[in-house]
Amino acid sequence: MDKAKRKAIIAGNWKMNKTPKEATALLNEITPLVKDADCEVIACVPYVDLAAAIEATAGTNVKIGAENCHWAASGAFTGEISTGMLKEIGVEYVVLGHSERRQYFGETDETVNKRTKAALAAGLKPIVCVGELLWERECDITEEVIARQIKLDLWDVSEEELKNVVIAYEPVWAIGTGKTATADQAEEVCAFIRAQLAKLYNQDAADAVTIQYGGSMNDGNADELLSKTNVDGGLIGGASLVAEKFAAIVKAASK
Ligand code: PEP
């Protein structure tokens, strides 16, 4: 499939930054800068910012996402947030399996899979993050790691549901470190992810999936990364907190 036919998506991952008031202020800066974007623009924000973010982006082309969700509909899961809670306030996307959740909060492929299925069942669009550690890349097992994550994280996700899944390839060694994968490294793994999807589903289904790169993407390197055939967008951490930088990445994806 022609890359131009896939939906390009630039999503900010704000992590644990910005209070609701600060979120409104930042979105008020971002929305006019990205209003003519020829790609999907998303801001994934902390739970307490969601309501303010949805209000600040009403009537604009910026969509709002959460940074996680639980798989149960309700119950004794102190500190967790359900898909129904997110849906009811108008959230459309949810980041799942981010490496910071895997690294610091014990997220496993099994729980990423449960969350992914719950999100899809609720009508949310999951942005499923996969990526290898530096040690795994050095040991030359990047493809093994990615293949395993893709298979497990998408276990029991139907071809129909896959249409609502976004994959983010985020090499863990490139997140928040200022070290970006080269455009060729990003392309190589994004193409590998697509090949895995083709094996698990079929080529047409794989060709339709938006695969983002994430890991220190910024206004200086976005053009080159996004020019690659299998890099359909970006999941942006640090640079998504600066309106002009985020808007420049959106512009690069709109070309
Ligand atoms: C991220 O949080 O998903 C990310 C890619 O962060 P950064 O852009 O800061 O590396």
Side-chain angles (χ1 to χ4, degrees):
M1 186 199 241
D2 182 358
K3 171 178 166 140
K5 293 195 182 128
R6 279 193 290 273
K7 191 162 48 168
I9 302 178
I10 298 297
N13 172 27
W14 287 13
K15 313 192 190 210
M16 195 175 72
N17 291 294
K18 304 293 174 187
T19 66
K21 274 188 194 156
E22 290 168 347
T24 299
L26 179 54
L27 287 164
N28 285 344
E29 276 187 78
I30 289 173
T31 46
L33 297 177
V34 302
K35 69 177 177 14
D36 298 321
D38 191 16
C39 66
E40 191 126 319
V41 184
I42 309 167
C44 299
V45 307
Y47 290 134
V48 292
D49 294 350
L50 286 168
I54 286 163
E55 200 182 318
T57 52
T60 76
N61 58 336
V62 177
K63 311 258 167 74
I64 297 301
E67 296 179 14
N68 200 6
C69 69
H70 197 263
W71 55 86
S74 62
F77 300 102
T78 304
E80 291 288 328
I81 295 287
S82 75
T83 56
M85 293 169 186
L86 298 177
K87 262 310 259 190
E88 189 176 304
I89 63 166
V91 171
E92 282 188 49
Y93 285 88
V94 59
V95 176
L96 294 174
H98 191 278
S99 65
E100 287 152 16
R101 303 275 345 150
R102 293 178 191 258
Q103 233 178 327
Y104 307 134
F105 302 102
E107 195 78 65
T108 64
D109 288 311
E110 188 185 0
T111 56
V112 175
N113 176 247
K114 284 180 169 184
R115 294 179 206 275
T116 301
K117 285 194 294 188
L120 287 165
L124 291 165
K125 295 174 190 156
I127 300 175
V128 178
C129 304
V130 298
E132 79 287 3
L133 305 171
L134 183 56
W135 163 242
E136 291 167 335
R137 176 165 281 265
E138 285 169 352
C139 291
D140 204 17
I141 59 163
T142 298
E143 291 193 349
E144 261 171 80
V145 171
I146 301 291
R148 183 187 156 88
Q149 289 175 333
I150 291 289
K151 185 158 191 179
L152 297 181
D153 296 354
L154 298 183
W155 182 255
D156 206 20
V157 169
S158 70
E159 186 181 337
E160 193 52 33
E161 288 175 317
L162 186 70
K163 292 180 183 159
N164 287 321
V165 173
V166 177
I167 308 278
Y169 167 53
E170 298 212 307
V172 180
W173 47 272
I175 298 179
T177 58
K179 280 189 202 154
T180 320
T182 64
D184 286 341
Q185 284 171 324
E187 169 62 15
E188 194 182 1
V189 182
C190 290
F192 177 76
I193 290 171
R194 203 174 304 287
Q196 289 307 112
L197 293 173
K199 265 197 209 163
L200 294 172
Y201 296 88
N202 56 65
Q203 193 63 53
D204 283 351
D207 281 345
V209 175
T210 295
I211 303 177
Q212 301 173 309
Y213 167 78
S216 302
M217 192 189 271
N218 58 44
D219 45 334
N221 58 27
D223 259 329
E224 199 191 347
L225 286 161
L226 293 167
S227 71
K228 293 292 177 182
T229 314
N230 285 286
V231 181
D232 305 314
L235 183 58
I236 325 292
S240 71
L241 296 169
V242 182
E244 293 74 20
K245 289 188 182 178
F246 186 63
I249 299 170
V250 168
K251 198 169 168 195
S254 301
K255 282 179 189 159

